[in-house]
Structures are given as C-alpha cells and as structure tokens.
Amino acid sequence: MSISSPVLNENEGGTKENYSFLVNKQKAFFRKEQTKNISFRLAALKKLKDAIKVNEQEIMAALKEDLNKSELDAYAAEIGFVLAELTFTIKNLSSWVKVKSVKTPMTHFGSTSYIYSEPYGVALIIAPWNYPFQLAIAPLIGAIAAGNCAVLKPSELTPKTSEVLAKLINGLYPEEYVSVVEGGVETSTALLEEKFDYIFFTGSVPVGKIIMKAAAKHLTPVTLELGGKSPCIVHDDANLKVAAKRVAWGKFTNAGQTCIAPDYLYVHKNVKDKFLSEFKNTIKELYGENPLRNSDFTHIVSERHFKRLEGFLDNGQVYSGGKTNSETLAIEPTVLTNISWDDPIMQDEIFGPILPVMEYSNLSEVVDGIHNHPKPLALYIFSENNQVQQTVLNSVSFGGGCVNDTVYHFVSPHLPFGGVGPSGIGSYHGKGSFDTFSHKKSVLKQTTLFDIPFRYPNFKNGLKMLRMFLK
Ligand code: NAD
C-alpha cells in the first residue's frame, strides 16, 4: 500500500468547524457491533502494521522535515516503537479480550462473577508534536484493540507528519471507523464540543486542564498524558561513566523535547566535578565537536520554543555548550551550573537540550526539593546502593522512572506509562492501552435454583446471619 487518499475534511468551506456529523457517523457504526469482533480488530491492527512498514520512508521524510529527526531516532522512537507495540498487541489480544472469571464470596453462594472488557464507543485522541507519529499511533492501537471507533487529531506544529498520518489512516479505514482530523487549537476546540465516549490527550499541563474541563461537561472519562519537571539524581556512589552516557542520551535525544527527558540534574557534591567532566566528554562522543553542524541532531520545533529556550541560557553559568543557530532552530546540548530553584529555568518544564545542574550534600535535600514541586512524570536515580534507591523510590511520588537509567522504562510494554497528579491521569502501553480504552464491566450471574433469604426484610434472623458474614 502507498499513501494515496486525500485527507477528508468535511469542514472545508470556511465556516466554523463542526464535527457532529463525523462523530454521529462513528457512533452509528459502533452500534453495528462490528468493532467488537476480535477478527475485525486484529485485521485492523495488521493492516495498520503493514501500512506503516510500507510507508516507512514517507514517515521518516516527514519527521526529518518537521523536526530534523535522524533515521535512527525516527525508527527507534517512532516507527519501530509502534511496530513493536502492534506486534505485542496482535500477539496478546485474543487473551486480553476474554471475559475474566473472578472469585465469588460466600455471601453470594450459588452465583459466579465475571469482568467483561467492553469498548467505550467513540474515542477522541489528541496528540502533541514531539513524537508526532508515535504519540498519535500508540493510543490508536489501544483504541482499536479495545474495539472502539476513533477520531485522531495530530499536532499542527508538525504539519508534514500530520499530513502523512491523515493520508495513511484515512486511506486505511472508513471514516465511520477511524478518522484523522488535521488542525490546530480551533479544530481541537470544535472536536471537544462533541460528546465522545473517551478522550485520550497527550500534551501540556495547561491544555490538559482545558481538555478535562471540556470532558467534564459531558462526564467523558479521560486519560491525560502530561508533562512536568522530571528530576535526575546522581548519587555519590553512582557508576559515573554509565550515568553520564545514559543521562546524556535521555536528555539530548530529540533535542530534549521528550516529556520524560531528565529535566534537571541533582548531583552529589562529592562527585559533581568528576561527573560533569565525564558528561562533557560523553556529549562530544555522542553528538560530535560541533553538534550544530551535526546533520542528525534534532531541531527545536518552532521559533517560539527556540526563543523561550534561548532565554534560559543566561541562567547560572554555562558549563558546556550554549551555542545556538536561529536559522535552523538548533541549540547545542548545554549544561548550566550554579542553578537554584529560583532561576527561571526551574519554574517550568524545559523541553529542550538544556540541563540545569544543582548539587546536594544529603539525599533529604533532594527529596524535599522535589516534594515542594508538582509530582513529576518521571524520576531517575543513579546509585549502586539499594537503600539509597529505595529511599528515593518510597518517599517521592512520580509517574514512573528508572534506577540507573533514563527514559528506557517507556519502551517496555509490560510497564504501564503515565503520570500522577499534575503530570497526568491514567496510563497506557501494552495491555495498559487495551485496559485504558476498555470499560471493565462487572457482572454477577445468579442461580435461580435457590434464593438465600438473609437479605429480605421478612427473614427472621436476617440481621444475625448478616453479622456472621459481613464482618
Ligand atoms: P500542547 O498541549 O500545546 O498541544 C497538544 C495538543 O493539544 C495539540 O494537538 C494541540 O493542537 C492541542 N491544543 C493546543 N492548545 C489547545 C487548546 N487550547 N484547546 C484544545 N486543544 C489544544 O502540547 P505540545 O506542545 O504539543 O507538547 C508538549 C507537551 O506535551 C509537553 O508539556 C510534554 O511534556 C507533553 N508531552 C507529554 C507526553 C506524555 O506521554 N506524558 C508525551 C509527549 C509530550
């Protein structure tokens, strides 16, 4: 298959966007029950997998044009990631969809208990620009696997990838089943006017609040995959060489435009100099002497984001990097030292290739520092000491993370991925995606052969019997 069908946009003509027609069409299709059929779902997933493989070059070209993503990055974090997710889902879906039989208490003697995973209906998926292919397709896999219809709105900030997504998906499925709608804030706003059965949003915290408010109007359940400032801690007993490489990779992949990139570094004062010198060498090894001339280094998505990031370069002291190219919107991997929580760079998620560094003497300073700020999406702790690792893991609340690594937890289909509190609601990946897009319907199947009488008001010793069982 090659990309051929044009984007379907029923709203061309210039008037206010309205998606009632599309959503109602999907609702009507959902009611036909075809999407609940396991063979139908598997066929849709296999079709998607084949189409992604066939269109790999077009997808890579779009990612290159939008963000200057290298083929390695485009395959690892976007195309390969969703292919692996599709393979895992296709392999396991038949067991996930099974009605689950669960235990029944003595009080319910004679009956059996089941949990049905039923699709919500019509899902809305809103995606961001930083991994514009993966973050659109990965939730879609969950929506399809669970038997939903879906409307997908990619980000307007990566227009080429959005176009490829629209052509790919709209050429693959009828619009009453799955449809991509391209557009920006107005399109999102118009879509949010509709009554969806589920909303899956990936993006910033402020827009997450707008989504939740819109969902509240219809009491639509949501998953919010948001962001925040994810700390990375390098303790005095860490393997510094390994830590330097894994922190540099996690931070500078995609030029730091990764929701779970280490946002800032807490390094123990005893190893600060040694770690930073190791880190500087690693950056050279990974991105070359002059990363601005490295044709494979990802660029910043827009001028607005470039200027915002440039504004941070006078915070603290530049330890390494610091150069920029306003024509290509590129910023060198940069390390800033002499940073405190009062600096502008520490007020919000950075989302760029700049790593502010703070030093500490006691782990309690780190724990307090993180506690005084919103719960992060990710956290990374580098230490060889299990007690240090456990202290951090047990005392800090965060979405998910790694011990002695960064970002890698995201890639396991066995680890549900999501935030907590201000960094997000809900999770997905692997079976987590299927569960997210399924309502768990609990059913008790009673016998009619007999009727245990305690619950009825006319049973003589009802209260006594109830006291025996319910304690
Ligand atoms: P964003 O919130 O600006 O936009 C995300 C989507 O929402 C886009 O499709 C956009 O068109 C739409 N949107 C923007 N403003 C809107 C509004 N007022 N009303 C309705 N819809 C609106 O986010 P972004 O800049 O595309 O992405 C960066 C953010 O996303 C960062 O904060 C990052 O941490 C977060 N993120 C989180 C994850 C995760 O999995 N948790 C993954 C990637 C990015």
Side-chain angles (χ1 to χ4, degrees):
M1 196 208 114
S2 67
I3 297 170
S4 55
S5 340
V7 182
L8 291 174
N9 186 350
E10 288 151 14
N11 305 291
E12 270 168 4
T15 51
K16 193 171 177 281
E17 295 180 46
N18 184 320
Y19 294 97
S20 306
F21 181 73
L22 175 63
V23 175
N24 287 336
K25 217 167 158 182
Q26 290 209 347
K27 284 190 175 176
F29 183 68
F30 180 73
R31 276 195 297 271
K32 288 187 179 157
E33 308 242 320
Q34 280 184 39
T35 66
K36 292 185 180 172
N37 183 312
I38 174 80
S39 314
F40 180 93
R41 302 186 208 182
L42 283 170
L45 292 168
K46 286 177 186 158
K47 221 161 121 173
L48 180 58
K49 190 175 168 187
D50 290 346
I52 292 171
K53 281 188 184 165
V54 171
N55 289 294
E56 185 183 308
Q57 283 313 311
E58 279 96 326
I59 299 164
M60 280 198 176
L63 292 165
K64 183 81 187 165
E65 196 168 329
D66 283 334
L67 289 157
N68 195 44
K69 277 203 192 198
S70 69
E71 292 207 347
L72 178 76
D73 284 353
Y75 194 85
E78 308 250 16
I79 299 164
F81 179 92
V82 298
L83 287 177
E85 188 82 1
L86 277 161
T87 306
F88 187 79
T89 306
I90 291 165
K91 186 170 163 221
N92 293 294
L93 189 60
S94 308
S95 76
W96 297 344
V97 296
K98 280 191 185 134
V99 176
K100 198 172 161 216
S101 169
V102 294
K103 284 186 183 171
T104 303
M106 270 302 284
T107 40
H108 297 57
F109 184 72
S111 55
T112 45
S113 308
Y114 306 92
I115 300 172
Y116 287 71
S117 291
E118 75 172 14
Y120 279 100
V122 178
L124 171 64
I125 298 167
I126 299 179
W129 53 263
N130 60 329
Y131 291 88
F133 187 76
Q134 185 233 117
L135 294 172
I137 297 290
L140 181 63
I141 294 170
I144 291 175
N148 296 275
C149 295
V151 175
L152 167 62
K153 198 213 72 72
S155 172
E156 69 282 15
L157 293 189
T158 39
K160 266 286 148 197
T161 313
S162 171
E163 192 186 317
V164 167
L165 275 165
K167 286 182 181 171
L168 180 82
I169 300 297
N170 292 340
L172 212 54
Y173 305 117
E175 68 168 351
E176 62 266 31
Y177 175 37
V178 177
S179 179
V180 171
V181 174
E182 287 190 273
V185 178
E186 271 188 23
T187 305
S188 263
T189 309
L191 282 165
L192 289 167
E193 289 289 316
E194 303 304 322
K195 189 178 183 322
F196 283 91
D197 299 299
Y198 202 88
I199 298 177
F200 188 103
F201 170 78
T202 308
S204 61
V205 174
V207 179
K209 289 178 184 169
I210 294 171
I211 303 292
M212 198 155 171
K213 204 167 164 191
K217 206 165 67 188
H218 300 298
L219 284 180
T220 305
V222 292
T223 293
L224 301 177
E225 293 283 343
L226 309 177
K229 289 186 89 60
S230 299
C232 180
I233 306 158
V234 175
H235 200 56
D236 61 358
D237 62 345
N239 179 330
L240 297 185
K241 210 173 171 59
V242 170
K245 204 158 183 180
R246 293 181 184 167
V247 176
W249 172 77
K251 176 69 187 182
F252 301 120
T253 290
N254 211 33
Q257 300 167 115
T258 304
C259 56
I260 45 169
D263 185 274
Y264 61 93
L265 188 76
Y266 258 127
V267 59
H268 194 282
K269 72 175 183 9
N270 292 349
V271 293
K272 183 181 154 204
D273 291 343
K274 202 160 173 235
F275 176 78
L276 288 180
S277 140
E278 199 73 64
F279 197 60
K280 198 172 177 173
N281 292 336
T282 305
I283 293 173
K284 259 188 219 152
E285 258 173 53
L286 298 184
Y287 305 104
E289 281 288 344
N290 189 347
L292 292 184
R293 291 221 197 102
N294 178 342
S295 58
D296 278 345
F297 195 63
T298 306
H299 293 173
I300 305 306
V301 69
S302 69
E303 205 173 326
R304 181 172 73 82
H305 282 284
F306 176 82
K307 289 203 165 125
R308 179 182 64 81
L309 290 165
E310 230 185 6
F312 294 140
L313 293 173
D314 63 1
N315 288 202
Q317 218 171 348
V318 175
Y319 175 86
S320 69
K323 291 206 245 358
T324 63
N325 182 337
S326 59
E327 268 164 42
T328 57
L329 303 185
I331 298 178
E332 274 188 339
T334 298
V335 178
L336 301 177
T337 49
N338 286 343
I339 293 290
S340 79
W341 278 108
D342 297 328
D343 285 301
I345 196 165
M346 293 306 291
Q347 305 316 306
D348 267 316
E349 183 183 17
I350 300 167
F351 224 57
I354 308 173
L355 184 70
V357 178
M358 299 190 288
E359 65 170 54
Y360 69 93
S361 311
N362 287 309
L363 213 49
S364 59
E365 294 165 42
V366 174
V367 172
D368 288 348
I370 301 170
H371 272 164
N372 290 335
H373 294 85
K375 293 179 181 178
L377 180 58
L379 179 145
Y380 309 110
I381 163 80
F382 286 83
S383 167
E384 296 298 307
N385 182 322
N386 187 46
Q387 210 184 333
V388 169
Q389 297 167 6
Q390 293 310 320
T391 301
V392 173
L393 295 183
N394 292 327
S395 52
V396 182
S397 178
F398 56 94
C402 307
V403 172
N404 291 322
D405 209 336
T406 67
V407 175
Y408 227 45
H409 63 298
F410 183 88
V411 196
S412 167
H414 304 287
L415 291 174
F417 171 78
V420 52
S423 55
I425 295 172
S427 59
Y428 75 132
H429 288 172
K431 183 166 184 290
S433 297
F434 172 81
D435 288 338
T436 284
F437 283 97
S438 304
H439 163 60
K440 303 295 170 190
K441 189 159 77 180
S442 295
V443 175
L444 181 83
K445 196 170 166 191
Q446 259 292 17
T447 181
T448 50
L449 295 178
F450 53 88
D451 196 10
I452 299 174
F454 323 141
R455 63 171 134 164
Y456 299 113
N458 60 344
F459 185 69
K460 212 169 155 206
N461 288 319
L463 182 60
K464 202 171 155 198
M465 296 301 281
L466 281 174
R467 281 194 203 282
M468 242 171 72
F469 285 110
L470 303 178
K471 56 186 178 192

